[in-house]
Amino acid sequence: MGQAQSSPSQLVSPPVPVILNDPRFALQQPVTLRLKGGWFREESFSINDLNGIPYFKVAHKFFSLKDKKTLFDVNGTAVYNLKKAMFSMPQRYTIFAGSDSAAEVAEIVAKFRFAAIDLKSTFTNKTDGKQTTFYLNMPAMSFTGNVFMGKPNAGGIPVAYIDRPPFSARNFFGTSEYHVTIMPGADIALVLLLCIALEEEREDRKE
């Protein structure tokens, strides 16, 4: 896409709340969540804010890494699962509500071009019933990127920002901690699912 990257201070709240399926995840205040690269080495990991307060847990099985990742809330309830389509070009992921494949709520399409990874998720916003698209773009060798609501070069607004803290201890041991700052009204679960798909795409490039 080639758009200029924003910073947290340049983020904008959506004009109406963006809700993929569960209104709990369109918060009324901004939040910065901590994630880490290299999570493929673990069966599960927690997603907390900068104060250590848990928001989600992600689980998968070592022998089905490319198949299904499940996002749980803090009560242990499966809220979404992400499934990767095998042998698709471009690469596609499907987001389902809950733990099974009964209710599809969104799709993510991933493309690698110009040394960057582009992700696009299209879904129906439960707030107003309109078709909505989130775009995530990140240089392949970077941990800095934006999530836009709408096309970045056609009036889209930056609703989330991804960056790597400069002195993260994890960086020295091969697993990179990074932060995701999300504006009020933008579905934090959807942004995290985009980050999970992004991490899988990055892992694929290493193979």
Side-chain angles (χ1 to χ4, degrees):
M1 294 178 188
Q3 75 270 10
Q5 302 296 342
S6 301
S7 66
S9 63
Q10 297 172 307
L11 296 178
V12 180
S13 294
V16 298
V18 177
I19 299 172
L20 178 59
N21 192 60
D22 191 325
R24 290 180 297 163
F25 305 132
L27 306 183
Q28 296 184 3
Q29 65 283 331
V31 64
T32 299
L33 301 177
R34 299 171 60 185
L35 294 89
K36 62 180 179 179
W39 55 263
F40 284 87
R41 304 179 184 93
E42 304 178 21
E43 288 189 358
S44 65
F45 64 96
S46 297
I47 298 174
N48 305 330
D49 69 10
L50 297 183
N51 295 316
I53 298 173
Y55 278 70
F56 297 99
K57 181 179 179 180
V58 179
H60 60 85
K61 295 181 180 179
F62 274 113
F63 296 106
S64 60
L65 294 182
K66 306 293 186 182
D67 180 28
K68 177 180 176 180
K69 286 82 182 170
T70 304
L71 187 69
F72 296 88
D73 65 14
V74 293
N75 299 313
T77 302
V79 290
Y80 297 109
N81 69 89
L82 181 72
K83 289 189 176 180
K84 181 178 182 179
M86 304 304 292
F87 311 114
S88 66
M89 290 295 293
Q91 184 59 62
R92 296 178 183 274
Y93 300 79
T94 305
I95 302 172
F96 298 95
S99 60
D100 56 32
S101 303
E104 178 180 339
V105 292
E107 181 182 64
I108 297 174
V109 178
K111 295 181 180 180
F112 184 85
R113 54 185 174 183
F114 305 119
I117 301 172
D118 293 337
L119 296 160
K120 179 176 77 171
S121 180
T122 302
F123 57 95
T124 299
N125 184 0
K126 292 197 72 173
T127 299
D128 56 15
K130 293 182 178 179
Q131 195 83 345
T132 304
T133 304
F134 273 15
Y135 293 83
L136 189 160
N137 172 268
M138 182 177 286
M141 303 303 294
S142 171
F143 267 98
T144 300
N146 293 111
V147 177
F148 283 84
M149 178 180 174
K151 290 185 178 180
N153 297 323
I157 59 173
V159 297
Y161 176 75
I162 304 166
D163 73 328
R164 186 191 327 215
F167 300 109
S168 170
R170 296 185 189 275
N171 294 337
F172 299 102
F173 298 99
T175 57
S176 303
E177 178 180 298
Y178 55 103
H179 295 168
V180 185
T181 300
I182 308 166
M183 288 300 285
D187 193 310
I188 62 173
L190 175 58
V191 172
L192 292 175
L193 289 166
L194 281 165
C195 290
I196 292 170
L198 172 69
E199 184 67 17
E200 182 154 330
E201 289 299 302
R202 295 172 71 99
E203 192 75 10
D204 283 349
R205 304 301 163 192
K206 299 176 183 178
E207 297 179 353

